[in-house]
Amino acid sequence: MLRNSESGFGAVTIVLHWAIAVLILGLLLLGFVMRRTEIDPALQFSLYQWHKSFGFTLLGLAVLRAVWWFIERTPTPPPGLGPLEHTAAQIMHRALIVLALIVALAGWAVASTSTLNIPSFYFNLIIIPHLPLRQSEASEAFWTFAHALLAYVTLGLVAGHAAAALYHHLLRRDEVLVRMLRPGTRRSDAKTFNTQENDDTVVERK
C-alpha cells in the first residue's frame, strides 16, 4: 500500500520518514567528524563535499515530505491516544519537517556565503550553484552559527520523538510505532502484534 489509509501509513510516508531520519542522524555525525582539526585536509575536503551532497539530498526529500503531508490524508489517531497527545505528535512531525528544510537551506547558505567560494559537488556528478547571497566573513559566520544551532535543536527533537515512540511501544503497548514500521497496518494487526508480544513475555517468564 503506497498511500495512507484511515488506520495506517502507506509505504511512501514510511520510506520518506525513515530516509529523512537516517540522513539527519548521519549528517549530524558527519558534521562532528569533518570539523576535527587533526583530520587530513584532503579527507576533510571530501567529508565536507559528502556532507553537502547528503544535505542537498535531505533538502529534496524534506520538500517531497512537506508536499506529501499537504496532499495526503492523515490516519486517524490510534485508540487510547488523547487529543493533547495527538496534537503534540502533529506539532512534532511538522516541526521536524520544517527544521529539515531550514537546516539544509542554512547549510546551503554557509557554502554560498563562504569567502573561499568552494563549489558544491553533488556526489561528483553536478555542481550545485550558490544561493544569491553576499559572500563575506560576517555572513558566513552568521549562517554557520544558525546551521549548527538549528542542527542541535533538530537533534533534541529527534531524541524526544524517538523516546516518545519507544514509550508508546514498550510501555503503552499501542500501535504508534508499529504504524510507522509496516505499511497499511490495521488496528487488528497491531492488536495481534501486541498480543504476540505479551504471549512471548509470559513464556519467557515461565
Side-chain angles (χ1 to χ4, degrees):
M1 182 182 295
L2 294 178
R3 305 198 59 176
N4 298 347
S5 66
E6 183 181 349
S7 59
F9 295 103
V12 174
T13 300
I14 293 174
V15 169
L16 287 173
H17 176 275
W18 290 109
I20 290 173
V22 170
L23 280 171
I24 288 175
L25 294 176
L27 283 165
L28 286 166
L29 178 60
L30 188 56
F32 283 121
V33 174
M34 72 185 192
R35 295 181 65 85
R36 297 178 67 88
T37 56
E38 65 271 19
I39 294 181
D40 178 73
L43 174 60
Q44 190 174 46
F45 178 82
S46 297
L47 291 178
Y48 266 90
Q49 291 297 332
W50 281 105
H51 185 81
K52 289 192 285 186
S53 295
F54 284 116
F56 286 122
T57 303
L58 173 62
L59 178 59
L61 290 179
V63 170
L64 288 177
R65 183 66 183 91
V67 172
W68 191 249
W69 179 281
F70 283 109
I71 66 175
E72 184 58 291
R73 73 166 74 179
T74 300
T76 56
L81 194 69
L84 290 179
E85 290 178 306
H86 180 56
T87 300
Q90 286 188 318
I91 293 174
M92 176 69 78
H93 288 149
R94 293 172 183 175
L96 287 173
I97 293 172
V98 171
L99 279 171
L101 289 167
I102 296 177
V103 171
L105 287 172
W108 193 359
V110 173
S112 301
T113 57
S114 174
T115 55
L116 297 176
N117 197 29
I118 298 176
S120 297
F121 300 99
Y122 185 73
F123 295 113
N124 290 324
L125 297 175
I126 59 174
I127 296 179
I128 303 295
H130 292 326
L131 294 172
L133 299 173
R134 187 170 63 89
Q135 294 181 339
S136 69
E137 293 183 359
S139 296
E140 182 183 3
F142 169 79
W143 286 112
T144 298
F145 173 78
H147 183 58
L149 177 62
L150 292 170
Y152 283 121
V153 171
T154 302
L155 178 60
L157 289 182
V158 168
H161 183 58
L166 291 175
Y167 165 75
H168 279 277
H169 186 68
L170 299 175
L171 299 180
R172 295 276 292 271
R173 293 187 176 276
D174 54 31
E175 59 187 270
V176 168
L177 179 59
V178 176
R179 296 204 305 178
M180 194 53 75
L181 295 175
R182 296 186 295 188
T185 299
R186 304 292 179 181
R187 288 174 181 172
S188 58
D189 295 336
K191 289 179 181 178
T192 302
F193 177 79
N194 289 333
T195 300
Q196 291 175 347
E197 275 198 335
N198 292 333
D199 293 341
D200 293 341
T201 302
V202 171
V203 172
E204 289 179 358
R205 287 180 179 176
K206 289 181 178 181

